[in-house]
Amino acid sequence: DAGVIQSPRHEVTEMGQEVTLRCKPISGHDYLFWYRQTMMRGLELLIYFNNNVPIDDSGMPEDRFSAKMPNASFSTLKIQPSEPRDSAVYFCASSFNTGEQFFGPGTRLTVL
Amino acid sequence: AQSVTQPDIHITVSEGASLELRCNYSYGATPYLFWYVQSPGQGLQLLLKYFSGDTLVQGIKGFEAEFKRSQSSFNLRKPSVHWSDAAEYFCAVVSGNTGKLIFGQGTTLQVKP
């Protein structure tokens, strides 16, 4: 298996633009997680899905953030409009049942 | 509420020396515990995990960890550190039946030549 796939790996955008991050989980995994990592706040869970259904989005910082999982093999995290404070590394992870999570390589987002 | 504490933010050891990274958790039932490693610019990689059974678990890259229920600890050890072990290490516990991972703050390991 190729592991968790994220795209793009790097994204540079200007404040106010819409940003879409993509994730393909490991085939057969039923949980998908979106994390954000910054120097100041460390690793934060934003939202997670079970069988494509959002279970807990309490970590989503603002209404500017939204996430979808239209099917078992694809998820998106969208920021609209983006702000400089959204600059971070965003990780996607997947797991089977409540077992170990496998992380993607991350998307480094820079908002100018 | 579940929580994970890694008391050491930064640790420096000499290459070839032994290593122990501390992790304490707060959890009512038997925890599912993990150690992840993150090299600079990379994602998190699972080193080892504890679900049940033998309290001493072996992981990849020569790491091991011991679950001590009486101390609510899950410390990570390695007998001889290599320069390539320089990275950030995260301890985590699964939150109940949710599948959510509760992460510690991380410990940055620096290895001196």
Side-chain angles (χ1 to χ4, degrees):
Chain A
D1 200 315
V4 175
I5 299 172
Q6 291 187 247
S7 65
R9 292 293 309 277
H10 301 274
E11 176 81 34
V12 180
T13 190
E14 293 189 346
M15 182 174 62
Q17 296 298 305
E18 178 180 294
V19 175
T20 299
L21 312 181
R22 297 173 175 79
C23 175
K24 176 178 170 54
I26 292 173
S27 177
H29 282 189
D30 54 352
Y31 281 83
L32 184 138
F33 306 82
W34 282 101
Y35 293 89
R36 179 172 68 175
Q37 187 177 41
T38 61
M39 290 291 291
M40 291 297 294
R41 301 174 67 91
L43 200 58
E44 303 173 276
L45 177 65
L46 300 177
I47 185 172
Y48 77 97
F49 296 81
N50 178 219
N51 292 321
N52 313 337
V53 176
I55 302 300
D56 184 350
D57 65 354
S58 60
M60 297 286 261
E62 300 170 39
D63 291 344
R64 298 184 295 107
F65 286 70
S66 62
K68 294 181 179 179
M69 192 166 186
N71 57 62
S73 59
F74 183 66
S75 177
T76 59
L77 178 68
K78 186 175 293 186
I79 308 172
Q80 167 62 21
S82 59
E83 297 182 3
R85 58 194 169 119
D86 302 330
S87 297
V89 181
Y90 292 81
F91 289 103
C92 176
S94 70
S95 70
F96 174 69
N97 203 344
T98 56
E100 64 192 83
Q101 292 183 22
F102 293 81
F103 282 75
T107 296
R108 182 173 297 276
L109 173 65
T110 302
V111 183
L112 303 174
Chain B
Q2 297 94 343
S3 66
V4 176
T5 302
Q6 294 179 245
D8 305 304
I9 302 299
H10 194 108
I11 282 185
T12 300
V13 300
S14 297
E15 190 169 16
S18 64
L19 172 70
E20 183 169 32
L21 302 183
R22 296 183 291 164
C23 172
N24 294 99
Y25 66 89
S26 171
Y27 190 74
T30 299
Y32 290 179
L33 293 159
F34 304 85
W35 274 101
Y36 283 85
V37 61
Q38 184 180 27
S39 297
Q42 304 295 315
L44 278 71
Q45 180 183 21
L46 181 69
L47 280 177
L48 46 78
K49 61 188 177 186
Y50 172 78
F51 283 2
S52 65
D54 192 348
T55 56
L56 184 63
V57 293
Q58 302 297 319
I60 62 171
K61 305 184 181 186
F63 285 92
E64 67 178 26
E66 186 170 13
F67 170 61
K68 293 185 177 180
R69 183 188 300 277
S70 62
Q71 298 177 19
S72 297
S73 70
F74 188 56
N75 294 349
L76 182 71
R77 300 194 295 249
K78 186 169 185 178
S80 177
V81 170
H82 189 263
W83 63 266
S84 61
D85 294 324
E88 189 160 17
Y89 292 80
F90 293 93
C91 181
V93 63
V94 170
S95 174
N97 294 322
T98 67
K100 287 172 59 173
L101 279 179
I102 309 296
F103 281 94
Q105 303 93 318
T107 298
T108 299
L109 173 65
Q110 183 179 1
V111 180
K112 293 190 301 185

